[in-house]
Amino acid sequence: MEQVAALWEREADGLLRFAMVRAGCDQAVTEDLVQQTFMAAVQTWESLAGRDHEERRNWLRSVCRNKWIDGIRRESKLETLQRDVEQLYARTGPDPADAVIARDDLDRCLQAIREFPSRRRQVALLYFIEQQSVLRIAELLDIQPSGVRKHVAQARQALCAAAGWTVDEEPVGTGASRGREEEQALDKAAPSTPTS
């Protein structure tokens, strides 16, 4: 071990500079490389003991370079592994709890629709499920657009109550915004009636 300590005294600083230039890393990383290199020297001292000073220096530099390359490979494998694990465990669909809640809301809404009077049930199915316009529903059911809007508003209120929402917090895509836009367009397009 005295010979390894002497080798350390003679070569450690030069090997540290070699590692810093080679690896371009911070000092802590290069110190670890040098330490790992000398640990390898201790483990294989029997093969190093018979070499001259220049051969030992070349061996130390070669091992230090190889340890640095091993570190790069290890980091690369860890990055690849991390990406693989993230992809493996990434969510690919909705949160199961959200799906259960949505299914419960849907069941309550369907039950509410079943309990609607016949005309309101027809309007609700055409408007919310089949995404038909107010004018198209009025045409299909042979009722006035204002009657369709009344049924839609009452159905929306009943469905929100069944799902436990207020009308203001109705989820996107349920037809509320579409209905309001259609109502505004119809109001603009409706012929004005003269007032006397």
Side-chain angles (χ1 to χ4, degrees):
M1 286 301 151
E2 289 179 20
Q3 292 174 329
V4 175
L7 182 63
W8 173 270
E9 289 296 324
R10 195 171 50 249
E11 297 294 333
D13 288 339
L15 191 59
L16 184 63
R17 286 190 298 276
F18 171 82
M20 282 185 146
V21 169
R22 174 64 84 181
C25 304
D26 64 15
Q27 185 154 347
V29 172
T30 54
E31 287 173 353
D32 285 346
L33 282 171
V34 170
Q35 184 177 15
Q36 292 171 15
T37 301
F38 274 94
M39 288 175 67
V42 169
Q43 293 170 351
T44 60
W45 185 251
E46 289 180 18
S47 68
L48 283 176
R51 297 183 184 191
D52 69 20
H53 175 69
E54 192 62 33
E55 288 176 330
R56 287 182 188 164
R57 176 180 289 152
N58 289 338
W59 184 90
L60 288 170
R61 288 183 176 186
S62 176
V63 170
C64 184
R65 186 188 76 245
N66 291 341
K67 297 275 183 198
W68 171 62
I69 292 170
D70 289 347
I72 291 172
R73 289 180 182 147
R74 211 173 13 259
E75 285 178 17
S76 176
K77 286 179 184 176
L78 285 174
E79 287 174 8
T80 301
L81 178 63
Q82 183 177 359
R83 277 194 308 272
D84 291 348
V85 168
E86 286 173 357
Q87 288 176 352
L88 181 64
Y89 290 102
R91 291 207 174 193
T92 56
D95 184 341
D98 290 342
V100 169
I101 290 169
R103 181 65 190 178
D104 287 346
D105 288 349
L106 179 62
D107 289 344
R108 286 193 298 275
C109 288
L110 289 174
Q111 183 58 38
I113 289 173
R114 284 186 203 105
E115 294 172 2
F116 286 169
S118 175
R119 181 64 68 174
R120 186 168 305 139
R121 183 175 50 250
Q122 290 172 334
V123 168
L125 290 173
L126 288 169
Y127 187 82
F128 293 110
I129 306 300
E130 294 185 23
Q131 302 286 305
Q132 297 292 324
S133 71
V134 169
L135 292 176
R136 179 71 178 137
I137 296 169
E139 183 182 302
L140 288 171
L141 299 180
D142 195 30
I143 60 176
Q144 293 297 314
S146 61
V148 173
R149 287 192 298 274
K150 180 183 107 183
H151 284 296
V152 166
Q154 291 171 342
R156 180 181 294 121
Q157 209 170 26
L159 293 172
C160 286
W165 310 319
T166 64
V167 176
D168 293 339
E169 64 184 6
E170 183 178 352
V172 175
T174 57
S177 60
R178 179 173 61 91
R180 289 186 199 108
E181 290 167 3
E182 284 180 10
E183 289 171 14
Q184 289 171 355
L186 283 174
D187 289 342
K188 288 180 186 175
S192 58
T193 55
T195 57
S196 24

